[in-house]
Amino acid sequence: MRSRNKTLKIVVIAVLVVLTCAYILPIYVMVVNSLKTLPEITRRTYLAFPSAPQIQNYRSALFGSRDFLIPMARPIVNSTIITTSVTILACFFGGLGGYYLSRTVTPFTRIVFILVGIALYMPYQAIIIPLTTITARTGLINSHLGLIMCYMIINIPLASVLMGTFFLGLPRELEEAAEVDGASKIRTFFDIVVPISLPAYASVAIIIFTQVWNEFFIGLTLVTARTQTVQVAMAMTQGSTISPYNLQMAAALLTVAVPLLSFILFGRYFIRGVLAGALKG
Amino acid sequence: MIEAIKPNRPRKRTSVAEFLVFTLPLLLFLVILYGTVLWNFYVSTTNWVSTAPDYTFSGAKWYAYLFRQSRFWVDVQNNLKWLILGVVPTATAAIFLAYLLEMAPFPGVEGYIRTLILYPVAMSFVVTGTIWSWMYQPDKGIFNTIIRSFGIDSPFTFTNDPETATYWLIVIFIWQYLGFSVIIVQSSFRTTELQEMIEAATVDGASRLRILFSVIIPNIRSGIMVLVSLLLISSLKVFDIVWIVTRNGPGIATDVLATNMIVTSYDQRLFSAGAAIGTIIFLIAFILVIPYTIYALRKWFE
């Protein structure tokens, strides 16, 4: 027995070391090098601490500089507008749809559920050409609204399934009591179900926020200069223009800051949402 | 577990107005979604080959065109590599890791590892790809700089080598999805029935590996099925990593259907051919999610 525990301990320590290196290295490299001067980068002492932290790198990344031609400030604002709108609308409508799916068992709801289920995993490549056509013809492509609508197409079904999963787990007694008292289904939903489901809404909001903020493909194909999202701007530091690594890493850190912070602060909700989407939906 | 609606206490019928309030937005967006899928299929059967749409019917011409392109078959090969190597190692590592965390002999290990490997879930592939492409850079990259600092001449050129580039890209995918996979496996471990079975097997003196293979894995089949489906679909949809790190290169060595779709439609302006690739990706995705959808449907309406 003792020797078995010893082997286990060695295995665990080995796994710990390997994983720690593999997962700390990328983020360490990003943070440390985003604070260096260009000569320090050229010296290739990538793992060393910066001699003096260059906070102004973040100003260059946000507002642009001679070395960095893609100011990230505007894309961050664009992404914030788009992502926040999609999150709020998808949670609201998805909550309504998910409640209906979780409380009604008819052939119709089964069909809707299947359609929703497939929608969750829809490859964007299968719908992008029509989306381009629609947004170009209606002029939506020039405003944030175009991207908001496109993201809603995928995220309302997602929010419906996630919220529905939570609603399935709620005891029905309260709702039945309210209905016996004569409340309409809509009142029951808003007065009774929503208030006790706020943690679920938080989980779903974080999942959708992260997903939309990090989305790249639709952003790449549909954005115009005025609606450029943060991922598209970030991709440009890698593609068409050459950026020095220190400023590129500063931009990268700005790009992940919001979802990473929300993950650190609300990780519990995040995990719960991921599991709800994975196991039940 | 889900309480069925009791027949002896019939619920009030939903009125039409209530039905519309609850479902109209969802139905509306579903109609748009499936409408665009059909529209895309329609485009693939037309002759749209410039900026201006042209809806002249041309049958399966563009599918035949694709099948004649050697690039299409490079994509298929690469997508297969992604489907196999993005899924099997990730799922296997996740199962072992989850099991290791269950019996971790030190306190705090589990929470630490979970946070450590889960943070990439919050990051976009654009950012991860940017960092990794710097790490992979043969000359000024992090990995080779570290290797060289030991006085060794690094043999790796990572994504610059057309033969192995796709494999190095898949490493990034595994890195990003490992934490996500571990928490899915872990949650399917945590049923009382399974815990009791493990205990019984331990009392019987079964070895740890034996327990893993003959008690745990057969009992978390549905969890594994869910995980495998999610990984399959994510590795099929992979676009960002390839686009950011290698941009299909060197040459077209790392090209996949999703990146080819963009090149064909928006660079070559062969929109009908691009739509055909889109339809093909949709069909593969559809087949891949079938087992998962059936499982979810059963679970939902049980």
Side-chain angles (χ1 to χ4, degrees), chain B residues 208-229:
Chain B
R208 290 203 168 96
L209 280 180
R210 182 86 209 268
I211 293 179
L212 177 63
F213 285 107
S214 26
V215 179
I216 296 181
I217 290 179
N219 280 291
I220 57 168
R221 270 181 315 213
S222 63
I224 294 175
M225 191 274 290
V226 169
L227 174 62
V228 168
S229 307

Side-chain angles (χ1 to χ4, degrees), chain A residues 191-246:
Chain A
D191 289 356
I192 291 173
V193 178
V194 171
I196 55 175
S197 304
L198 289 180
Y201 275 102
S203 288
V204 176
I206 289 179
I207 299 278
I208 291 184
F209 188 93
T210 311
Q211 178 161 313
V212 176
W213 183 276
N214 287 344
E215 204 285 329
F216 177 54
F217 181 76
I218 290 192
L220 180 71
T221 20
L222 289 187
V223 290
T224 51
R226 288 187 52 214
T227 58
Q228 191 182 54
T229 64
V230 68
Q231 305 300 337
V232 178
M234 186 63 222
M236 283 172 68
T237 70
Q238 176 76 0
S240 46
T241 50
I242 291 161
S243 313
Y245 284 130
N246 54 345

Side-chain angles (χ1 to χ4, degrees), chain A residues 20 22-23 46 93 97 101 113 115 119 121 126 132 176 179 183 185 214 217 231 238 245 248 277-279 281, chain B residues 9 11-12 18-19 22 25 33-34 40 112 119 122 124 130 133-134 140 175 187 226 230 262 266 292 296-297 300:
Chain A
T20 304
Y23 282 84
Y46 299 134
F93 294 131
L101 286 180
F113 185 84
L115 292 178
Y121 302 102
T132 320
E176 280 165 11
E179 274 171 31
K185 292 226 155 112
N214 287 344
F217 181 76
Q231 305 300 337
Q238 176 76 0
Y245 284 130
Q248 192 186 33
L279 280 177
Chain B
R9 218 195 305 174
R11 296 192 68 188
K12 238 175 28 181
E18 286 173 334
F19 171 77
F22 279 122
L33 178 66
Y34 286 98
N40 180 75
Y112 167 73
Y119 83 82
S124 66
T130 308
S133 71
W134 181 21
K140 299 181 286 185
W175 181 85
S187 78
V226 169
L230 291 176
I262 282 294
Y266 294 92
Y292 179 74
L297 194 71
W300 188 282

Side-chain angles (χ1 to χ4, degrees), chain A residues 154-189:
Chain A
I154 299 288
N155 284 290
I156 286 187
L158 175 64
S160 301
V161 166
L162 293 179
M163 287 312 301
T165 313
F166 286 106
F167 294 142
L168 277 178
L170 289 181
R172 310 285 157 93
E173 282 75 21
L174 278 175
E175 295 159 49
E176 280 165 11
E179 274 171 31
V180 170
D181 289 348
S184 71
K185 292 226 155 112
I186 294 163
R187 273 209 62 155
T188 312
F189 177 71

Side-chain angles (χ1 to χ4, degrees), chain A residues 52 54 78 83 98 104 109 128 141 151 154 158 170 176 228 261:
Chain A
Q54 305 292 310
N78 287 336
T83 311
T104 326
T109 40
I128 194 69
I141 201 160
Y151 286 133
I154 299 288
L158 175 64
L170 289 181
E176 280 165 11
Q228 191 182 54
L261 270 181

Side-chain angles (χ1 to χ4, degrees), chain A residues 4-5 8-9 11-13 15-16 19-20 22-27 29-30 33 44 46-47 93 96-97 99-105 108-110 112-116 118-119 121-123 125-134 149 152-154 156-157 160-161 164-165 168 172-173 175-176 179 182-186 189 210 214 216-217 220-221 231 234-235 238-239 245 248-249 252 255-256 259-260 263 270-271 274-275 277-281, chain B residues 2-3 5-6 9 11-14 18-19 21-23 25-27 29-30 32-34 36-37 39-40 43 48 53 55 97 100 103 105-106 109 112-124 126-127 130-135 137 139-143 145-146 148 174-175 178 180 183-184 187 206-208 223 226 230 233 237 239-240 243-244 247 258 261-262 265-266 271 274-275 278 281-282 285-286 289 292-293 295-297 299-301:
Chain A
R4 265 170 70 187
N5 270 332
L8 179 64
K9 274 187 184 167
V11 172
V12 170
I13 289 172
V15 168
L16 265 179
L19 286 181
T20 304
Y23 282 84
I24 296 287
L25 184 67
I27 204 158
V29 163
M30 172 170 71
N33 289 289
R44 299 189 192 174
Y46 299 134
L47 298 183
F93 294 131
L96 285 169
Y99 183 69
Y100 183 80
L101 286 180
S102 72
R103 290 293 180 270
T104 326
V105 187
F108 175 73
T109 40
R110 273 169 207 267
V112 173
F113 185 84
I114 294 172
L115 292 178
V116 169
I118 297 167
Y121 302 102
M122 184 65 73
Q125 285 80 16
I127 56 174
I128 194 69
I129 291 175
L131 288 184
T132 320
T133 316
I134 297 170
M149 295 303 273
M152 297 253 282
I153 293 178
I154 299 288
I156 286 187
S160 301
V161 166
T165 313
L168 277 178
R172 310 285 157 93
E173 282 75 21
E175 295 159 49
E176 280 165 11
E179 274 171 31
S184 71
K185 292 226 155 112
I186 294 163
F189 177 71
T210 311
N214 287 344
F216 177 54
F217 181 76
L220 180 71
T221 20
Q231 305 300 337
M234 186 63 222
Q238 176 76 0
Y245 284 130
Q248 192 186 33
M249 289 302 125
T255 307
V256 294
L260 208 54
F263 172 72
F270 199 99
I271 292 173
V274 166
L275 286 180
L279 280 177
K280 310 236 180 88
Chain B
I2 295 149
E3 205 184 322
I5 296 161
K6 288 173 193 116
R9 218 195 305 174
R11 296 192 68 188
K12 238 175 28 181
R13 279 182 63 85
T14 316
E18 286 173 334
F19 171 77
V21 169
F22 279 122
T23 59
L26 174 61
L27 293 180
F29 278 96
L30 280 180
I32 299 177
L33 178 66
Y34 286 98
T36 50
V37 172
W39 183 351
N40 180 75
V43 171
W48 181 356
Y55 286 106
L97 206 51
L100 208 60
M103 46 186 204
F106 320 109
V109 169
Y112 167 73
I113 297 261
R114 243 162 97 119
T115 317
L116 180 72
I117 61 177
L118 199 57
Y119 83 82
V121 178
M123 289 170 64
S124 66
V126 175
V127 169
T130 308
I131 303 172
W132 279 81
S133 71
W134 181 21
M135 299 208 294
Q137 226 271 339
D139 175 33
K140 299 181 286 185
I142 313 273
F143 286 138
T145 310
I146 295 174
R148 247 178 261 129
I174 297 175
W175 181 85
L178 184 62
F180 168 82
I183 60 163
I184 290 179
S187 78
S207 75
R208 290 203 168 96
V226 169
L230 291 176
I233 202 81
K237 291 208 293 187
F239 169 83
D240 311 14
W243 196 256
I244 295 292
R247 186 65 66 103
M261 190 266 158
I262 282 294
S265 331
Y266 294 92
F271 283 95
I281 299 176
F282 171 76
F286 182 77
V289 295
Y292 179 74
T293 312
Y295 168 77
L297 194 71
K299 194 143 187 184
W300 188 282
F301 291 107

Side-chain angles (χ1 to χ4, degrees), chain A residues 16-82:
Chain A
L16 265 179
V17 172
V18 170
L19 286 181
T20 304
C21 293
Y23 282 84
I24 296 287
L25 184 67
I27 204 158
Y28 175 81
V29 163
M30 172 170 71
V31 175
V32 165
N33 289 289
S34 74
L35 292 165
K36 287 184 182 171
T37 60
L38 193 52
E40 277 179 288
I41 297 282
T42 337
R43 236 176 287 139
R44 299 189 192 174
T45 48
Y46 299 134
L47 298 183
F49 278 116
S51 51
Q54 305 292 310
I55 302 294
Q56 68 269 28
N57 282 354
Y58 290 95
R59 227 183 54 204
S60 309
L62 271 178
F63 304 107
S65 72
R66 201 163 44 85
D67 292 328
F68 193 77
L69 304 172
I70 306 135
M72 299 293 285
R74 187 65 211 263
I76 288 177
V77 172
N78 287 336
S79 274
T80 309
I81 295 171
I82 293 166

